[in-house]
Amino acid sequence: MLFSSAIFLFAFLPVVVLVYYLLPKRCAAARNIFLTAVSLLFYAWGEPRFVFVMLLVIVLSWFFARKIEMTAGTLKKTLLAVAVGADLTVLFIFKYIGFFTENLNHLPFVQLPVPQITLPIGISFFTFQAISYVVDVYRGHVAQKSLWDVMLYIAFFPQLIAGPIVRYSDFADQIRNRQESLQKLAKGGYRFALGLGKKVILSNNLAYVADAAFSSVGNLSLSMAWLGAIGYSLQLYFDFSGYSDMAIGLGQMFGFRFLENFNYPFISRSITELWRRWHISLGSWFRDYVYIPLGGSRVKTKHRLYLNIFVVWLLTGAWHGAKWTYIAWGMMYFVLLCAERILGWSGKKTWYSWLYTIYFFVAGNVVFRSENVTGAIKYLLAMFNIHTSGLTDAKAVYYFAEYIPFLIMGIVAAMPIAVWLRSRTGRFKEVINRLYPIWCAAVFLVALSFVVKGGYNPFIYFDF
């Protein structure tokens, strides 16, 4: 079930909010059980059988966390390793075993059958949250005695299929101790409305431009190559940040606070800054659960430092999917981040550092979007007018003319103009704050019109 679907907007969400607030506020356990039950229903809507995969991960994590909390010494570390290994095994079987087998078959005298396994939606998100749970318990956080509470943490529907990745250390106290209010309900609704607008109005329409370009690799003009690359970069941003906004807003409607997942990445002036602003929850997860345990930057040699960065970005690329393009994308960022450290560019704040950051971000998205490495190379060459059909063509003219309003709106919305306006003092700030609910309502109504009308509604992060 998509947040941007009619069934969610007109049936699931209104019923869930209504029933939740009808339950007595003093019955926190009943409200938690209700949210857990509807979250499982939400996940089961498309593929009911995959609920059992998620339940397996939840039960294993709950069981091992309880054992870890009651154990000490070497056995405690062993239990942690087994718990994390079990979660990663489930992820490997469903997401990577086919890719792994295909590549093994390139070796001499190896010919194994390639398993055809359907990927459960959001498996990378809920397995990472399960790992966060057992690791945080190992580090001293109190394990949940109630299996239902662990289910609520891992399966909570706002962040289940597209994040942000919520760490147990940030969520634990909110399970039993949170404050719901009509004010929070309204603020969450405003945030949800803006996220829905990002997804339905901007991302879905920019997808037409991106798809037209990436389906024509090998026959692109220079202008169409750039139009498609920029269109896809904006599509990806509004797809994922829109879902993150909706998730944060939904969480707030039920009294939960999720950390921000995007912070205007298009204003970044270094690759280092970009990854502090883009998919913040994933970057911080790898920092706290992989990079720092490996030694982080507090290591004796530069070689070990670069090895740690390499491991993080190899895993980051692989996390996104079982394709060589994702690995290549991760390695590109590994090289860029190391280069910035060596050259001392990570702190640069100039217009040309912004240009190179945006260029590599857009180029990286080309690799990310391409079906294979060969296709990515062909597309990148076209962006330098190599092996193109010319500077421009009829397709580029058509898509530019047809979708220029969405491109302009996308570029404007990707900049922190609204933040700047709301930071103003005096009566101007007062007027902006009063207009904010009206603006959110207008965006929501326009987005609803797109939903009711139907049309193209892709969701990039379903693959992860």
Side-chain angles (χ1 to χ4, degrees):
M1 192 186 304
L2 295 172
F3 293 163
S4 53
S5 65
I7 187 68
F8 181 85
L9 294 168
F10 295 113
F12 183 87
L13 182 58
V15 170
V16 170
V17 171
L18 179 63
V19 174
Y20 181 83
Y21 278 93
L22 285 175
L23 290 170
K25 198 170 185 178
R26 65 181 179 276
C27 299
R31 285 185 163 187
N32 285 347
I33 290 172
F34 172 70
L35 286 179
T36 304
V38 297
S39 294
L40 294 175
L41 173 64
F42 173 85
Y43 191 76
W45 190 263
E47 288 282 359
R49 60 195 170 120
F50 289 136
V51 169
F52 297 104
V53 177
M54 184 171 65
L55 287 175
L56 173 64
V57 170
I58 290 170
V59 171
L60 286 173
S61 300
W62 169 76
F63 173 79
F64 280 111
R66 293 294 308 279
K67 294 296 182 184
I68 288 168
E69 188 178 44
M70 296 183 291
T71 311
T74 305
L75 181 57
K76 188 173 186 176
K77 290 183 179 180
T78 303
L79 287 171
L80 175 66
V82 172
V84 173
D87 289 333
L88 292 177
T89 298
V90 172
L91 183 61
F92 176 79
I93 289 171
F94 283 93
K95 192 166 184 176
Y96 301 105
I97 195 168
F99 175 74
F100 184 75
T101 306
E102 283 179 1
N103 284 280
L104 274 182
N105 285 340
H106 290 124
L107 297 175
F109 311 112
V110 177
Q111 195 58 49
L112 300 171
V114 179
Q116 300 299 318
I117 301 175
T118 305
L119 182 68
I121 295 168
I123 188 170
S124 294
F125 289 98
F126 68 72
T127 51
F128 268 36
Q129 292 202 178
I131 292 170
S132 164
Y133 174 55
V134 294
V135 172
D136 284 352
V137 170
Y138 174 82
R139 291 175 175 177
H141 285 270
V142 177
Q144 295 294 328
K145 294 180 175 62
S146 168
L147 177 59
W148 279 100
D149 287 347
V150 179
M151 282 189 193
L152 177 60
Y153 162 61
I154 295 176
F156 191 32
F157 75 89
Q159 44 74 43
L160 175 59
I161 60 174
I165 300 170
V166 179
R167 267 99 66 82
Y168 177 66
S169 57
D170 297 324
F171 195 88
D173 291 339
Q174 301 183 65
I175 294 175
R176 297 283 176 166
N177 302 300
R178 61 182 185 276
Q179 296 297 320
E180 305 95 335
S181 66
L182 291 178
Q183 186 181 25
K184 285 185 178 180
L185 178 64
K187 284 185 176 180
Y190 299 153
R191 185 68 179 267
F192 179 86
L194 294 179
L196 183 68
K198 283 183 177 182
K199 173 71 181 81
V200 173
I201 301 171
L202 295 175
S203 180
N204 286 0
N205 283 288
L206 291 166
Y208 288 108
V209 179
D211 289 353
F214 282 90
S215 64
S216 304
V217 176
N219 189 33
L220 283 169
S221 65
L222 175 66
S223 54
M224 190 63 198
W226 277 97
L227 187 63
I230 294 169
Y232 177 70
S233 296
L234 291 170
Q235 179 204 352
L236 180 65
Y237 170 65
F238 289 117
D239 179 272
F240 197 17
S241 71
Y243 257 87
S244 292
D245 286 345
M246 287 188 275
I248 292 167
L250 288 169
Q252 194 170 14
M253 291 165 74
F254 299 106
F256 289 93
R257 182 182 63 86
F258 298 157
L259 298 180
E260 294 295 332
N261 207 23
F262 289 87
N263 184 22
Y264 296 99
F266 286 90
I267 66 170
S268 302
R269 287 178 284 184
S270 69
I271 300 298
T272 303
E273 183 184 357
L274 173 69
W275 279 99
R276 289 174 183 154
R277 293 177 174 273
W278 178 276
H279 205 341
I280 298 167
S281 64
L282 180 66
S284 62
W285 195 98
F286 274 113
R287 180 196 65 209
D288 294 343
Y289 295 102
V290 178
Y291 183 66
I292 292 176
L294 286 173
S297 56
R298 295 182 177 181
V299 289
K300 293 180 179 179
T301 66
K302 292 289 186 183
H303 292 93
R304 181 54 194 263
L305 170 63
Y306 298 140
L307 176 62
N308 292 348
I309 298 172
F310 171 81
V311 170
V312 166
W313 281 96
L314 177 65
L315 294 176
T316 302
W319 179 87
H320 283 87
K323 284 169 60 176
W324 283 112
T325 49
Y326 294 133
I327 303 296
W329 173 86
M331 291 299 93
M332 183 199 82
Y333 279 110
F334 159 68
V335 171
L336 289 171
L337 288 165
C338 288
E340 283 193 348
R341 281 179 173 270
I342 294 167
L343 299 172
W345 287 359
S346 57
K348 293 284 185 181
K349 302 292 181 184
T350 61
W351 64 268
Y352 54 84
S353 64
W354 175 80
L355 279 179
Y356 105 81
T357 300
I358 293 302
Y359 167 74
F360 280 112
F361 174 65
V362 171
N365 290 334
V366 168
V367 178
F368 191 86
R369 173 65 169 76
S370 298
E371 288 299 315
N372 51 58
V373 174
T374 302
I377 293 170
K378 287 181 179 179
Y379 198 112
L380 291 170
L381 289 174
M383 292 170 68
F384 287 94
N385 203 28
I386 300 172
H387 303 307
T388 63
S389 58
L391 294 177
T392 191
D393 57 7
K395 179 182 279 191
V397 172
Y398 168 79
Y399 279 98
F400 184 80
E402 190 74 13
Y403 292 96
I404 186 64
F406 298 105
L407 288 163
I408 292 173
M409 283 191 293
I411 291 168
V412 171
M415 299 297 165
I417 297 170
V419 174
W420 180 82
L421 288 173
R422 295 193 74 189
S423 70
R424 298 299 91 190
T425 56
R427 292 190 63 186
F428 183 68
K429 181 180 180 179
E430 227 177 274
V431 171
I432 292 294
N433 286 338
R434 289 190 179 187
L435 289 175
Y436 180 68
I438 299 171
W439 167 249
C440 293
V443 170
F444 185 67
L445 290 173
V446 173
L448 277 186
S449 71
F450 276 90
V451 172
V452 171
K453 185 174 66 174
Y456 195 34
N457 191 23
F459 179 31
I460 297 168
Y461 274 75
F462 254 177
D463 293 336
F464 311 133

